[in-house]
Amino acid sequence: MLQSPTPKKRRRGRLFRFLSAFVVLLAVAGYLVVQYVTGGRGGPGCKVVSGKDDGQKYEFSQEQTMNAATIAAVGTGRGMPERAVTIALATALQESQLVNIQHGDLDSLGLFQQRPSQGWGTKKEILDPTYAAGVFYEHLAKVDDYQKLPLTVAAQRVQRSGYPEAYAKHEPEATLLSAALTGQAAATLTCQGLPDSTVAATGPDAVRAALVRDFGRTVLKETGAEVTGGSTSADKVKAESESGSGAESTPTPGASATGGSSTVTLPVKSGSTRTGWQLAHWAVANSSELHIERVSYAGREWAAGSADDPWHSTASKASGGVRIVTQGQVEQ
């Protein structure tokens, strides 16, 4: 005859089930945190180091770095100072960990957790990193003497957050990111840069489109981008030339639209090394998305697969321009 479990055994059973459920809950919570921070996309990461040789460094996912590069480029395109970029990056780090999330408190969305119901834009607009950064800068520019204010105060006057002191803790990493992504600190950003297989590469066309997306339509006019090798859309190149973009394409004879490499060269004016390094770091930050293999500028070169390695010296010491080597189109 089977005996019923004693009260002591029943308590032990309940305790065991409770502990098992708690362990599972912790595992799920950990998974959700990773998904929140990385946007659900794992993969190779990036590293930014101090340009002062003080050993300071921070690591980010490729997605986080790409969003940070967009925020910096939008600021530069609007003529905002480096301090404004630092404030924007610290804000996005606090609000979303630089991940373009589609959820948040109430109806908050995107990199800056902006709310459609509060007049920041439509859901679609806010989830566009370029738009979200632009509207943040638009509001920041209206804050009196924001460059002289403590970062957390300037950010709070834009965001109206329930946790006004939270932005301050991100100032060190935002400062390093800003210095790299505005070109102030040379050769300080590296990424693993392995191609994102979920995104179809389109060679030089994709690079130019992304440049215009982040910096604005004048970027091609200012740099006079040139393309050699690979294959590009003749209609697009013609349209850009007719609009005065200055972009030129000189395909290599026999090059295939689905293979090979192309080089996008962005000439940099003499004395504008800061602009050159901003463009170079922007290309590294977007390397996975745009299938960029190598970036070189001012006698230094970065290559995909080298997140832990510094920019290497090259034979050519002339600044010339930023050279971006992309893969050809990838067949899906």
Side-chain angles (χ1 to χ4, degrees):
M1 180 176 177
L2 296 175
Q3 294 182 341
S4 300
T6 65
K8 185 176 182 180
K9 288 184 178 179
R10 285 197 295 269
R11 285 196 297 272
R12 286 179 178 175
R14 285 197 296 270
L15 179 61
F16 177 78
R17 290 192 296 272
F18 173 79
L19 289 175
S20 298
F22 184 70
V23 169
V24 171
L25 181 62
L26 284 178
V28 171
Y31 171 80
L32 291 175
V33 168
V34 170
Q35 295 301 298
Y36 179 89
V37 171
T38 66
R41 260 199 263 172
C46 302
K47 179 169 61 177
V48 61
V49 300
S50 172
K52 300 177 181 179
D53 294 325
D54 54 11
Q56 192 177 15
K57 63 181 180 181
Y58 294 94
E59 294 185 358
F60 302 93
S61 72
Q62 188 90 42
E63 181 180 7
Q64 288 175 306
T65 311
M66 183 173 66
N67 286 328
T70 292
I71 291 171
V74 171
T76 299
R78 287 174 167 259
M80 302 294 284
E82 183 182 349
R83 179 62 174 172
V85 175
T86 301
I87 295 169
L89 289 172
T91 301
L93 279 163
Q94 169 60 28
E95 297 292 354
S96 68
Q97 284 294 304
L98 283 170
V99 174
N100 194 26
I101 52 178
Q102 300 190 33
H103 56 79
D105 182 47
L106 300 176
D107 60 337
S108 300
L109 298 164
L111 293 175
F112 296 91
Q113 289 292 279
Q114 295 155 337
R115 298 178 59 189
S117 64
Q118 299 300 308
W120 286 95
T122 65
K123 177 179 179 180
K124 182 178 180 180
E125 288 174 332
I126 291 172
L127 289 174
D128 174 0
T130 303
Y131 171 88
V135 75
F136 176 87
Y137 287 122
E138 182 180 317
H139 283 72
L140 180 63
K142 297 177 182 178
V143 176
D144 292 337
D145 295 325
Y146 71 85
Q147 293 192 66
K148 299 178 182 179
L149 295 174
L151 182 147
T152 192
V153 174
Q156 172 63 6
R157 290 189 181 176
V158 175
Q159 296 294 106
R160 307 296 182 184
S161 168
Y163 305 94
E165 301 301 322
Y167 304 106
K169 64 185 177 183
H170 297 290
E171 186 164 5
E173 55 197 306
T175 299
L176 255 62
L177 269 177
S178 179
L181 294 171
T182 60
Q184 181 67 33
T188 53
L189 177 71
T190 56
C191 290
Q192 191 70 9
L194 299 180
D196 183 348
S197 60
T198 66
V199 178
T202 54
D205 285 350
V207 173
R208 289 182 296 191
L211 280 165
V212 171
R213 175 199 68 201
D214 287 357
F215 288 93
R217 294 188 176 277
T218 61
V219 66
L220 294 182
K221 294 180 182 180
E222 293 174 352
T223 62
E226 298 177 356
V227 178
T228 57
S231 178
T232 60
S233 167
D235 291 338
K236 182 170 183 176
V237 172
K238 181 179 179 181
E240 288 176 343
S241 298
E242 290 175 350
S243 67
S245 69
E248 298 179 3
S249 174
T250 53
T252 298
S256 169
T258 57
S261 298
S262 299
T263 299
V264 179
T265 302
L266 306 174
V268 177
K269 296 179 181 178
S270 177
S272 300
T273 55
R274 180 169 178 174
T275 297
W277 278 113
Q278 177 171 24
L279 292 168
H281 285 153
W282 174 91
V284 171
N286 284 273
S287 55
S288 179
E289 185 86 3
L290 299 177
H291 294 196
I292 293 172
E293 297 177 341
R294 294 193 306 279
V295 179
S296 58
Y297 177 64
R300 307 289 291 275
E301 183 176 81
W302 164 91
S306 58
D308 295 326
D309 297 328
W311 284 69
H312 297 292
S313 297
T314 61
S316 174
K317 298 298 182 182
S319 60
V322 179
R323 296 178 70 251
I324 303 171
V325 179
T326 69
Q327 294 179 352
Q329 267 188 312
V330 175
E331 293 181 300
Q332 299 299 300

